Amino acid sequence: NAGVMQNPRHLVRRRGQEARLRCSPMKGHSHVYWYRQLPEEGLKFMVYLQKENIIDESGMPKERFSAEFPKEGPSILRIQQVVRGDSAAYFCASSPSARVTDTQYFGPGTRLTVL
Amino acid sequence: AQTVTQSQPEMSVQEAETVTLSCTYDTSESDYYLFWYKQPPSRQMILVIRQEAYKQQNATENRFSVNFQKAAKSFSLKISDSQLGDAAMYFCAYAAGNQFYFGTGTSLTVIP
């Protein structure tokens, strides 16, 4: 049973470009969470999605950031018109249900560098 | 607001010795869960141990155990017989509802 997959592992973008980060949850998991980790900091919650629905996006910046988890395919975190402050590691986690009793399983992360 | 505080940015321990990492949290919830995650240089987040708040018994996983003091809102991690592979960032996390809240981490160095 493969773990949570994220790609790319490293992404370099110039200011103003778009960044697309992909997350494939563990088999059987329909709940996906995205987190951002700035250098020297802990993970900060961004958004929680179930298949085709955004459940909680309270941690996501109002502009330039969007997320989706379509019926088929991976979850996508999209950052438009990237700025240097977007440079961070972005982690995806999945769980089999919305119950907080279920452990979240993390992917290896995507490290975004904005030049 | 829920917050998680790790007051030790860095800790070190001699190989084979025991070290305790501290974590406190603030919440008004009665039903929640606490976790310790390990993040080695590879940046992967690895679950070390978890504790349900309604359970009084402290969780244990091999060399890892917690000291959960619910009234004090304290959740420390004890690593016994430390090994070189234990060197990593350790994050304490609190979970309730849909969200996880992470502390800022403690960087653990294991000295051979």
Side-chain angles (χ1 to χ4, degrees), chain A:
Chain A
N1 187 7
V4 178
M5 311 280 283
Q6 286 188 252
N7 67 80
R9 292 293 305 276
H10 300 274
L11 182 63
V12 179
R13 285 287 179 266
R14 296 191 180 280
R15 280 180 297 171
Q17 291 184 320
E18 178 180 287
R20 278 183 181 243
L21 289 63
R22 293 175 185 76
C23 169
S24 296
M26 286 182 70
K27 188 176 181 181
H29 288 194
S30 57
H31 301 257
V32 166
Y33 304 77
W34 283 95
Y35 296 86
R36 177 164 64 176
Q37 184 179 30
L38 295 170
E40 311 300 324
E41 294 187 11
L43 280 71
K44 295 284 196 298
F45 167 81
M46 298 182 73
V47 61
Y48 160 48
L49 310 103
Q50 293 178 23
K51 283 283 186 182
E52 300 185 274
N53 288 304
I54 297 174
I55 306 302
D56 184 341
E57 56 182 348
S58 58
M60 202 144 74
K62 295 285 187 285
E63 296 178 351
R64 302 187 298 108
F65 285 73
S66 62
E68 62 177 11
F69 188 16
K71 187 176 180 181
E72 301 291 336
S75 175
I76 307 276
L77 179 66
R78 182 181 176 209
I79 311 172
Q80 294 178 290
Q81 299 175 322
V82 296
V83 300
R84 288 225 174 98
D86 296 333
S87 295
Y90 292 82
F91 288 90
C92 162
S94 74
S95 69
S97 79
R99 295 194 313 270
V100 75
T101 51
D102 285 327
T103 300
Q104 294 188 9
Y105 295 85
F106 283 82
T110 293
R111 188 171 299 186
L112 172 66
T113 301
V114 180
L115 302 177

Side-chain angles (χ1 to χ4, degrees), chain B residues 6-109:
Chain B
Q6 293 179 250
S7 58
Q8 306 154 315
E10 297 177 345
M11 290 283 285
S12 61
V13 62
Q14 205 78 31
E15 193 175 3
E17 297 294 311
T18 295
V19 64
T20 299
L21 310 183
S22 65
C23 172
T24 58
Y25 58 95
D26 184 26
T27 183
S28 55
E29 302 282 346
S30 58
D31 185 21
Y32 55 89
Y33 294 77
L34 297 162
F35 303 79
W36 279 97
Y37 281 88
K38 170 184 176 182
Q39 187 180 47
S42 66
R43 304 299 296 272
Q44 180 96 28
M45 291 287 285
I46 302 165
L47 176 67
V48 175
I49 200 166
R50 76 172 202 174
Q51 173 83 41
E52 292 89 340
Y54 65 84
K55 287 188 178 178
Q56 292 186 340
Q57 186 174 5
N58 289 325
T60 299
E61 286 288 338
N62 300 315
R63 298 182 295 108
F64 299 87
S65 62
V66 298
N67 183 6
F68 174 45
Q69 302 288 328
K70 190 171 184 178
K73 296 180 182 174
S74 169
F75 183 60
S76 60
L77 174 70
K78 186 171 85 170
I79 306 174
S80 304
D81 185 25
S82 297
Q83 300 175 0
L84 295 177
D86 294 334
M89 282 289 286
Y90 285 82
F91 291 98
C92 177
Y94 159 98
N98 294 327
Q99 296 191 19
F100 270 50
Y101 300 88
F102 287 82
T104 51
T106 296
S107 177
L108 178 66
T109 300

